[in-house]
Amino acid sequence: MSTDPAVWFDDPPAYWAGIDAAVRAARLPAPVLALDAIALEHNIADLARRAGGVPIRVATKSLRVRSVISDILRRDGFAGVLAYTVDEAHWLATAAEIPDVLLGYPCTSASAIAKLIADDTARSRVTLLVDSADHLDFIDAAVPAAKRESVRVAIDLDASLRYARGIVHLGVRRSPVHSVSQARDLAKAITGRPGFELVGVMSYEAQVAGVANDASGALRNQAIGIVQSRSMHELIKRRVKAVRAIREFADLEMVNAGGTGSLEVTSTDPSVTDIAAGSGFFGGHLFDGYSHFRPAPAMGFGLDIVRRPARDIVTALGGGWIASGVPAPDRLPKPVWPQGLSFVGTEAAGEVQTPLRGAAARHLDVGDRVWFRHTKSGEPAEHANEVAIVDRGAVGGPRVVDVVPTYRGEGKCFL
C-alpha cells in the first residue's frame, strides 16, 4: 500500500482501501469515522501556507473533535478558535484551556451567558459577538452590569456585497452592521455602556470563502470569479475604514475575517489580524470545486451494506449526514469507495438507510463496507461518538493508532 502523501489524488481507490483495511483490522464497527493523519497534516500545512503568515483561527463547528482542535492550536500559524455557541465556548475555554475563544454568532441564552460571566476563567477568555444594542440588552438582562465584571464583546461587521441600495445582496444574511457609520455608531454605543469591553471585530465574506469557483461550467465560473474579485475589492476598502472608525473608541485585540476558501485574498487586508478556517482541515468534497486550492480528503465515514434489493443496488445502514446550506445534491455525502456507486435518485441519502446503485454494487455483499466523504463541515461528528486516527506510514501498512471522541462522544450537544 502506497504511503505517498499524494495517494489520495493519484490513486483514490488505494487510499480508501487502506483506510478500510486499517479500520477493519481494528475491529471498529460501522458507522465509523476515520481521519487520515498524513492527509490532515497536508491540509494543516497548506492552510498555513495559503494564509501567508496571518494567523488562522480554527472554526470549531467544522471539526467538533476537541483533541484535534487542541493539536492544531499547538502549531505555528494557528491561534485561537471561532466557536458557535456560548456553552461550547465556555467548555473550550475551560476544559480545553484555550485562552482565546471568539464567538462567531450572537447568543440570547440567558442561562449560558450567566454561567459564562460567573466563571472568571471563561469570562476572561471568551469574546461574545454582537451586532446591535439588543444583544447588549440580553447580556445585561442575564447579569446586570453592576453585578459583574466587564464582558468581552466583538462587533459582527457584514461582509456581503450590496448593489442598488441593498436590493441586490451577495453573501449571507447576518449582521445589520454594514456601513462604516453603522460600525462607528455601534462601537460608540458599546463603549458608552458600563459592563462591556469592546475587543474585536469579526466579518465573514461567505460569497468568496464559501462559493466554489471551479465547479459549474466555464462561463459561470468566470462570472463567479469576477463577482468575488469585485466583492473583495469593495470589502477590503470598507473593512479598513470600519475598523479604523471602531478603533476611535476601542483598542482592538482582534479583527477576524475570511474562511477556508478565501485565505489568500483575505490575508491581503491590512486590517485583519487573523483568518478563520475550519472545513479545510478535514477536506469535505465541497472544496473539490475550488480552482486555487485542493484539500486532501482527510475525513471519511464507513457504512455497512445491510441488504440487496436488486442486482445492481445495495443498501447501506445510515448515510443521511447532510451539510448545512440550500438543499441540493452538493449537500449530500459522496460515496467514494468502492468506486462506481451513486445514490438512487428517488431516495438519495437516508437517515436510516441509503440505497446505492452502480456496477460496483454487483460485487458487494451484505456485511461489506462502503466509504463516503462529507460535504463541508462538522456534520460527521454529530453522527458518531469516536474518530479513528489512521497512520498510513505505519510499519506493515495503514493502521489505527488512536481512537478519539467527538463532541458527541464527550456528551456534548451544543446546537
Side-chain angles (χ1 to χ4, degrees):
M1 185 64 60
S2 173
T3 58
D4 180 353
V7 66
W8 47 79
F9 299 140
D10 299 337
D11 193 354
Y15 175 68
W16 293 107
I19 288 176
D20 182 66
V23 169
R24 284 195 174 277
R27 300 182 180 276
L28 298 178
V32 58
L33 285 183
L35 180 61
D36 185 273
I38 295 177
L40 176 62
E41 291 295 334
H42 169 90
N43 290 341
I44 291 171
D46 195 52
L47 287 166
R49 176 192 63 80
R50 292 176 53 221
V54 179
I56 291 177
R57 183 178 293 272
V58 179
T60 59
K61 78 177 183 67
S62 299
L63 284 75
R64 306 188 199 196
V65 182
R66 181 161 63 108
S67 62
V68 174
I69 293 168
S70 295
D71 177 62
I72 293 170
L73 291 176
R74 286 191 283 268
R75 320 298 183 89
D76 292 338
F78 299 88
V81 298
L82 188 69
Y84 59 93
T85 72
V86 172
D87 284 332
E88 185 215 14
H90 191 163
W91 183 62
L92 291 174
T94 52
E97 299 183 339
I98 297 174
D100 180 4
V101 182
L102 170 63
L103 260 290
Y105 310 85
C107 174
T108 57
S109 171
S111 61
I113 292 171
K115 290 177 183 177
L116 177 77
I117 291 173
D119 187 324
D120 290 342
T121 298
R123 189 188 63 253
S124 67
R125 293 177 173 180
V126 174
T127 301
L128 302 181
L129 193 71
V130 302
D131 63 33
S132 71
D134 291 340
H135 295 135
L136 306 180
D137 294 340
F138 271 105
I139 296 170
D140 278 341
V143 182
K147 297 182 179 180
R148 69 170 194 255
E149 299 294 329
S150 291
V151 174
R152 294 166 56 88
V153 297
I155 291 174
D156 188 357
L157 176 68
D158 178 56
S160 63
L161 178 63
R162 299 182 184 181
Y163 286 125
R165 297 182 180 180
I167 296 175
V168 178
H169 182 110
L170 300 175
V172 290
R173 298 283 185 173
R174 292 171 62 110
S175 172
V177 182
H178 183 81
S179 68
V180 174
S181 62
Q182 288 171 327
R184 180 184 290 110
D185 289 346
L186 184 54
K188 182 178 180 180
I190 293 170
T191 55
R193 289 178 65 154
F196 295 97
E197 182 184 5
L198 177 57
V199 300
V201 174
M202 194 214 77
S203 62
Y204 172 48
E205 44 266 37
Q207 68 276 17
V208 179
V211 177
N213 57 7
D214 190 26
S216 308
L219 289 178
R220 188 170 186 271
N221 289 332
Q222 184 178 15
I224 290 173
I226 292 172
V227 170
Q228 289 179 336
S229 178
R230 290 180 178 177
S231 180
M232 287 305 300
H233 180 71
E234 182 276 335
L235 173 60
I236 290 175
K237 290 198 301 183
R238 175 165 53 88
R239 188 157 53 201
V240 166
K241 292 178 181 178
V243 170
R244 186 181 303 128
I246 294 170
R247 287 188 182 277
E248 295 174 7
F249 300 92
D251 184 14
L252 300 178
E253 298 176 13
M254 69 186 83
V255 177
N256 171 261
T260 289
S262 72
L263 288 170
E264 293 89 347
V265 65
T266 302
S267 68
T268 67
D269 186 336
S271 70
V272 169
T273 65
D274 60 70
I275 308 174
S279 299
F281 291 106
F282 289 168
H285 70 77
L286 183 69
F287 294 96
D288 293 350
Y290 284 70
S291 62
H292 53 291
F293 73 104
R294 190 181 182 189
M299 175 75 81
F301 65 91
L303 304 178
D304 282 347
I305 297 301
V306 293
R307 56 182 170 184
R308 175 188 293 282
R311 180 169 178 264
D312 63 346
I313 298 177
V314 291
T315 302
L317 184 65
W321 300 10
I322 312 302
S324 62
V326 179
D330 66 359
R331 305 293 116 171
L332 299 175
K334 181 179 181 180
V336 291
W337 189 83
Q339 287 187 316
L341 295 172
S342 61
F343 294 118
V344 173
T346 54
E347 296 190 50
E351 181 181 8
V352 176
Q353 68 168 34
T354 297
L356 299 163
R357 71 186 331 150
R362 300 175 184 177
H363 306 289
L364 290 171
D365 296 321
V366 171
D368 286 345
R369 190 161 292 172
V370 294
W371 285 85
F372 298 77
R373 291 174 63 193
H374 66 293
T375 293
K376 69 167 185 174
S377 190
E379 63 266 24
E382 293 299 333
H383 295 270
N385 290 330
E386 299 174 332
V387 179
I389 308 299
V390 176
D391 179 9
R392 282 185 298 103
V395 176
R399 66 182 180 90
V400 173
V401 294
D402 200 0
V403 177
V404 299
T406 61
Y407 279 13
R408 174 173 169 167
E410 295 199 67
K412 302 298 180 182
C413 179
F414 296 113
L415 195 62

